[in-house]
Amino acid sequence: MIHHKIVTIERHIIEGERAHPGATGDFSGLLRDLTLAFKVIWREVSKAGLVDILGLTGNQNVHGEQVKKLDVFADETIYRAMDHGGHLCVMASEENEDVLHIPENYPTGKYVLLYDPLDGSSNIDANVTIGSIFSIYRRVTPAGRGSMQDCLQPGYKQVAAGYVIYGSSTMLVYTTGDGVHGFTLDPSIGEFLLSHENIRIPRRGKIYSVNEGNYRWWFDPVKKYVKYLQEEDKATSRPYSARYIGSLVGDIHRTLLYGGIFMYPGDSRNPDGKLRLMYEGNPMAFIVEQAGGKASNGERRILDIQPTKLHQRTPLFIGSEEDVTICEEFLQGKRDLQQRAAS
Ligand code: P6P
């Protein structure tokens, strides 16, 4: 009888901790609390379509509770799961303008959590894949209540990052700087089980992902790069296929597994693009780099950007190392369409 090793995310975290001498188990407690929040969010997201059918109409559900917008529900679920464990000194969420403090009656800890509780939630009514994104740092202030200073750290200081994709199956993908690992939720036992150990992104792909509806506002180098991808050249699998879900977690997850490039460029209307640095760009950049890929704002590595505002936006070019490098060459004027380079 071959016993397949059943590795829950908790076991994976603890085994990972053992590999880090001096780890206090504090970190595994933090991630355990976080995965509980994701299971609660999954339960609501997976029945969202049934809200009307099950009579959960209007603002009242069968328990007489207020039915909140799912992203507000997800935001509160994560905050409530994380506010009492003593692992965090401060949090910050896409849903809240200012940082989120730990209640006075709870202990504070040495970590910082930034999160996008339900990214792409505008897609949920169309049953399109959505996700939760998280980013974890060590605190920089000495002790007690954390502050904005603890949150505004460059991405290379992250100690962990991950996302949950609520799709055809629900998966949690995370890194603690030791590779990228994927866990699939087994609803029958309510556990995230290791399903994709040590995910590696292909060095070059055949898919590009960008909202071409913004073409008229793109800067010329972006237009030239996309035109390059659409040229025919068998040696470099061009023309690439176009895939765009419009939900960051879905588009990044596909790029991570299949390779290629995802772009949300700045343009003449929004030079910094749409995506947020602290809880979209940085966690996704950490994950993709740990899988062997690359993430840039067009000029520099996403993880090297020193943030100044909690909700600041950044252009994002992320995916296979070769694809992002060629994209940067176009964006930095080092490459043009006329160049008939080998790659
Ligand atoms: P657009 C979803 O609203 C989101 O924040 C990301 O998940 C997604 O990548 C992006 O916006 C899509 O934006 O402008 O293409 O609809």
Side-chain angles (χ1 to χ4, degrees), residues 67 187 330:
V67 177
F330 274 92

Side-chain angles (χ1 to χ4, degrees), residues 57-275:
T57 51
N59 287 327
Q60 294 288 321
N61 66 18
V62 290
H63 313 292
E65 293 153 357
Q66 283 294 98
V67 177
K68 298 181 175 66
K69 275 168 53 69
L70 269 173
D71 44 8
V72 173
F73 171 80
D75 182 50
E76 290 174 359
T77 299
I78 293 173
Y79 181 81
R80 288 210 188 104
M82 303 308 292
D83 67 354
H84 55 279
H87 308 299
L88 301 173
C89 67
V90 70
M91 294 184 242
S93 162
E94 188 268 345
E95 292 284 329
N96 297 271
E97 192 53 36
D98 200 356
V99 300
L100 300 169
H101 287 293
I102 302 300
E104 293 293 330
N105 54 319
Y106 290 137
T108 54
K110 61 185 176 189
Y111 294 106
V112 180
L113 171 67
L114 297 104
Y115 61 95
D116 186 351
L118 207 54
D119 185 84
S121 51
S122 56
N123 292 311
I124 195 151
D125 294 342
N127 205 17
V128 169
T129 293
I130 55 177
S132 304
I133 310 170
F134 65 92
S135 171
I136 299 170
Y137 293 84
R138 252 185 219 88
R139 69 180 306 166
V140 292
T141 55
R145 194 173 146 106
S147 68
M148 183 66 82
Q149 186 190 352
D150 291 299
C151 295
L152 295 182
Q153 299 185 51
Y156 70 84
K157 292 204 170 175
Q158 290 174 96
V159 292
Y163 59 80
V164 179
I165 179 166
Y166 309 100
S168 37
S169 66
T170 291
M171 266 190 77
L172 188 154
V173 174
Y174 90 119
T175 183
T176 58
D178 237 356
V180 178
H181 310 287
F183 298 79
T184 300
L185 182 64
D186 178 340
S188 66
I189 55 173
E191 287 290 352
F192 282 103
L193 303 180
L194 183 63
S195 54
H196 297 66
E197 189 161 23
N198 201 20
I199 297 172
R200 302 297 293 168
I201 187 170
R203 286 190 57 74
R204 180 164 185 163
K206 308 174 184 172
I207 297 169
Y208 76 97
S209 183
V210 67
N211 183 343
E212 306 220 29
N214 297 328
Y215 181 88
R216 61 179 299 111
W217 294 294
W218 288 350
F219 300 124
D220 279 349
V222 175
K223 292 180 179 178
K224 285 181 181 173
Y225 174 59
V226 172
K227 195 157 181 53
Y228 160 81
L229 295 175
Q230 293 170 341
E231 284 177 338
E232 185 164 7
D233 176 70
K234 285 197 176 17
T236 52
S237 306
R238 290 182 290 147
Y240 279 18
S241 290
R243 292 285 184 277
Y244 193 71
I245 301 170
S247 191
L248 182 68
V249 173
D251 281 317
I252 295 289
H253 189 63
R254 182 205 55 247
T255 304
L256 187 68
L257 295 181
Y258 295 175
I261 187 167
F262 170 84
M263 298 175 265
Y264 207 109
D267 61 29
S268 55
R269 292 178 308 172
N270 307 301
D272 287 333
K274 173 181 182 183
L275 299 176

